[in-house]
Amino acid sequence: MSALCVDVRGLRVRMPGADGADRVLVSGVDLALAPGESLAIVGESGSGKSLTARSLLALLPAGLVAEGHVEVAGTLISDPRLARPLHGRRIALLMQDPFTMLNPLRRVGAQLADGMPRAVRRDRRRRREEVARRLEEVGLSPEVADRYPIQLSGGMRQRVGIAAALVSDPEVLVADEPTTALDVTTQREILRLVRRIQHDRGMSFVMITHDLRVAFSMCERVMVMYAGRMLEVGPTAQIQAEPRHPYTAALLDAEPPVDERLASLPAPPGSVPAHDEVADRCPFADRCAHVTTVCTAGPPPLLEVGAGHVSACARIRELGPLRRDRGEAAAPPAPVSAGDRALLRVTGLGKSFHGAAAPALDAVDLLVARGETVGLVGESGSGKTTLARCVVGLETPTAGTIELSGRTFSSWDDLDGGEARRLRGVVQMVFQDPYSSLHPVRSVGATLADSLAAFGRPHGASDVAALLELVGLTPAHARRRPAALSGGERQRVAIARALAPEPELLVCDESVSALDVSVQAQVLDLLARLVRELDMALLFVTHDLAVVRQATQRVYVLRGGRCVEAGSTSQVLDAPTHPYTQELLDAVPREDRNWLS
């Protein structure tokens, strides 16, 4: 029996083709994890990190086949039937969205009890005590056992998800983007909890994430993947201080800093290719600033550059450690004079939902001038999304007024048909998830043509092409459907659709929070360019203060439906006056393990 908890050599994941031609998604992955050790697997969407992790549990999507040596807790996994007895007891999975892990129709206590030994399940008193102990371990009270998942906040659901994953005391925990859907303060609490439990139990830990700051704060080693291949693996401190592959350096540079504003966020152009498209060369060559002919002559091997540190860069010797470059710092943006340029003015806005104990919005004031970018920040439940939806007419306020493009009203319901149509062309919204906001069956071109036609604009092929080019896409994208696009391309299409009526105000509701850091940088630069070129205003809703620093001129901080602080972005982030703003700043992930102390 191997002394390693996880021993993977030569992992290959393929999709058998009907014509006998296989499509390879992951190849050449080696992974070793000792008891108690932690490893972060990082990379953009499409890099193969989740497929690699799910191969450890034999939980690949239907139609995919894993090959190679995959050994977990001393058991060689050659097919899913061998892995099934290990699930929960030797290796467990913590998923990104705890709501999908939990049965919405069953109480929390019953779901935790499912993973307990039969003798405990059949003894009501022992079952109750064990459920309470498991909830206490993740910081929840015993009363949570009697609740349904829908009655819990996102952070509480994730804590229940952790308790469910650990109820059978596994030796290895695999966490797939466990905090991506959480606010920064809740994210920090969950990461602290997982790290404490891992240390207390001496449990091995594999974390899948696209956030290098989170990876550095949580794990001892980091594996960087791209297009289904390993590009760099090493101790966290070495990769953080001296990345030895250009892709790793590019990911680090694209992280938006919270302490200063940059002229632009550096990000490699393009997106992650399919494995088979770049199997004959360095997979990052097409996006790399250091590419030469040697990079495309063949796939570079992993070479040792330090103790336990390897990199697959063909120019590794001549390039040496790559310098971290966050880009050129920019002075804080000059404030926009509201005066006659006021585009949106919200006064005393209130919103109460039936049955809610407190109002979602309580006398909120907000001003956005033409050509200005304003941030709206706060945790889930702060009221920021409700405010944005009231502005665009997706929610009806219960108090206050909205002044938009010179027209003042209490509710969109008060407007006559002609005025409502005019104002819907003035303000448009870009949502968080472009895939769910785009019709999956219709082509991009048809979607954009419909949007142009709806507002009485020319909507021929050339008009659609001009709209695509405005957001950095090509006319060829018009023929594709959303499923054939990358996440960044889908968000650009969503922005193009919002630009169809030539709006004066664009409301972005967490529109970059689901994107990889490099794609996020590209979209933020795109939005900044559109504001400059179109003299458009932007209301940017987010919980990420690092993004707020890069994207906005002024910011409003909401908590519990009230505005607790407002001012220029530099003023609020450099010298916050409200404790809640400082709490949000402290919760921004940092490349420092002490951040979770």
Side-chain angles (χ1 to χ4, degrees):
M1 182 179 291
S2 170
L4 296 172
C5 278
V6 176
D7 184 12
V8 175
R9 283 168 271 156
L11 174 66
R12 183 172 180 260
V13 178
R14 62 182 176 86
M15 177 186 294
D19 58 355
D22 291 354
R23 179 186 171 196
V24 179
L25 305 177
V26 171
S27 71
V29 172
D30 297 334
L31 189 160
L33 203 63
E37 190 177 16
S38 56
L39 171 74
I41 305 179
V42 304
E44 297 169 277
S45 296
S47 64
K49 57 187 187 296
S50 289
L51 291 180
T52 298
R54 287 176 177 270
S55 296
L56 306 180
L57 299 107
L59 289 178
L60 288 171
L64 300 188
V65 178
E67 299 170 333
H69 180 96
V70 180
E71 185 177 343
V72 176
T75 299
L76 189 62
I77 300 172
S78 56
D79 73 52
R81 288 173 296 180
L82 295 176
R84 206 163 291 135
L86 301 180
H87 290 170
R89 292 171 174 79
R90 309 299 290 274
I91 184 168
L93 175 66
L94 177 63
M95 298 172 66
Q96 176 176 340
D97 183 1
F99 203 70
T100 61
M101 292 175 57
L102 303 172
N103 187 332
L105 302 179
R106 300 183 67 212
R107 298 181 192 272
V108 165
Q111 298 191 58
L112 293 184
D114 286 343
M116 296 176 185
R118 181 178 299 178
V120 175
R121 293 199 308 269
R122 298 173 75 171
D123 186 319
R124 180 175 298 180
R125 182 184 60 80
R126 288 181 62 192
R127 182 179 67 235
R128 189 81 183 176
E129 289 175 352
E130 185 65 8
V131 166
R133 186 177 74 84
R134 297 293 181 168
L135 289 172
E136 183 182 6
E137 184 181 31
V138 297
L140 296 175
S141 64
E143 291 76 21
V144 172
D146 297 322
R147 299 184 192 174
Y148 292 96
I150 194 67
Q151 296 174 301
L152 307 178
S153 68
M156 292 174 73
R157 281 200 295 265
Q158 192 60 288
R159 288 173 183 267
V160 171
I162 294 169
L166 300 180
V167 74
S168 295
D169 301 318
E171 298 172 33
V172 184
L173 177 64
V174 178
D176 191 354
E177 300 277 9
T179 60
T180 298
L182 302 177
D183 298 314
V184 285
T185 51
T186 308
Q187 171 182 256
R188 191 182 188 190
E189 293 171 2
I190 295 299
L191 292 175
R192 276 176 171 165
L193 172 65
V194 172
R195 198 170 80 168
R196 175 182 61 77
I197 291 175
Q198 186 224 341
H199 287 175
D200 290 349
R201 292 180 171 221
M203 181 175 60
S204 300
F205 180 56
V206 178
M207 184 178 193
I208 313 303
T209 181
H210 63 263
D211 191 330
L212 279 169
R213 296 170 302 184
V214 169
F216 291 156
S217 65
M218 283 292 289
C219 296
E220 301 157 314
R221 290 195 299 128
V222 173
M223 174 193 292
V224 182
M225 294 191 68
Y226 185 82
R229 289 174 31 204
M230 296 165 50
L231 295 192
E232 186 167 7
V233 185
T236 294
Q238 289 186 29
I239 289 182
Q240 180 180 350
E242 296 185 342
R244 300 300 300 272
H245 197 284
Y247 178 60
T248 309
L251 288 180
L252 290 166
D253 292 342
E255 289 278 6
V258 73
D259 57 345
E260 67 174 339
R261 185 184 178 104
L262 304 181
S264 66
L265 287 169
S271 57
V272 181
H275 177 283
D276 289 343
E277 292 176 5
V278 290
D280 61 344
R281 59 188 185 275
C282 170
F284 189 58
D286 294 342
R287 302 173 70 192
C288 184
H290 304 282
V291 65
T292 65
T293 53
V294 69
C295 304
T296 56
L302 283 164
L303 298 176
E304 188 171 358
V305 294
H309 190 179
V310 295
S311 173
C313 177
R315 302 186 62 201
I316 193 168
R317 303 303 181 197
E318 55 185 298
L319 291 177
L322 294 160
R323 183 173 62 89
R324 298 278 299 275
D325 182 11
R326 295 202 303 187
E328 180 183 350
V336 176
S337 175
D340 296 333
R341 290 180 61 81
L343 175 60
L344 170 69
R345 191 189 304 271
V346 170
T347 306
L349 202 70
K351 173 65 179 178
S352 296
F353 290 99
H354 180 69
L361 293 175
D362 187 0
V364 175
D365 296 340
L366 177 131
L367 175 68
V368 181
R370 298 178 188 275
E372 184 181 30
T373 301
V374 173
L376 198 57
V377 303
E379 298 173 282
S380 294
S382 64
K384 60 185 188 298
T385 294
T386 300
L387 175 55
R389 290 173 65 85
C390 287
V391 167
V392 300
L394 295 177
E395 294 286 357
T396 301
T398 50
T401 61
I402 298 171
E403 181 186 339
L404 179 62
S405 190
R407 177 71 161 87
T408 302
F409 51 94
S410 298
S411 163
W412 281 76
D413 295 337
D414 299 337
L415 302 171
D416 61 43
E419 189 70 355
R421 278 192 297 273
R422 181 185 77 82
L423 290 180
R424 291 198 187 282
V426 169
V427 58
Q428 286 286 297
M429 194 166 192
V430 180
F431 297 93
Q432 177 176 349
D433 181 6
Y435 194 74
S436 62
S437 64
L438 296 173
H439 198 298
V441 176
R442 308 208 70 199
S443 70
V444 166
T447 295
L448 297 182
D450 285 349
S451 297
L452 289 165
F455 290 95
R457 294 190 60 198
H459 52 279
S462 61
D463 305 297
V464 169
L467 202 53
L468 288 169
E469 289 169 354
L470 185 61
V471 297
L473 297 176
T474 67
H477 284 88
R479 297 189 295 272
R480 302 183 190 174
R481 292 180 179 174
L485 304 177
S486 68
E489 289 173 332
R490 283 197 291 265
Q491 195 60 285
R492 287 174 186 264
V493 170
I495 294 170
R497 183 180 59 181
L499 293 176
E502 298 183 321
E504 300 171 47
L505 172 64
L506 203 61
V507 179
C508 295
D509 187 9
E510 299 281 10
S511 54
V512 298
S513 64
L515 301 177
D516 296 317
V517 64
S518 57
V519 179
Q520 173 183 266
Q522 294 172 6
V523 173
L524 288 175
D525 281 349
L526 167 65
L527 291 171
R529 176 176 63 79
L530 292 172
V531 169
R532 289 193 307 270
E533 294 179 357
L534 305 179
D535 193 28
M536 184 177 62
L538 194 67
L539 181 59
F540 203 91
V541 181
T542 182
H543 64 264
D544 191 332
L545 293 189
V547 168
V548 165
R549 171 78 79 174
Q550 306 307 315
T552 68
Q553 292 158 283
R554 290 190 303 112
V555 63
Y556 292 81
V557 182
L558 267 61
R559 184 185 193 189
R562 294 187 175 187
C563 180
V564 298
E565 188 161 3
S568 72
T569 300
S570 57
Q571 179 186 44
V572 170
L573 297 191
D574 291 337
T577 59
H578 196 280
Y580 178 64
T581 310
Q582 185 61 57
E583 183 182 341
L584 290 178
L585 282 165
D586 291 341
V588 175
R590 295 195 297 270
E591 300 173 12
D592 181 2
R593 287 181 69 82
N594 294 327
W595 171 64
L596 294 176
S597 299

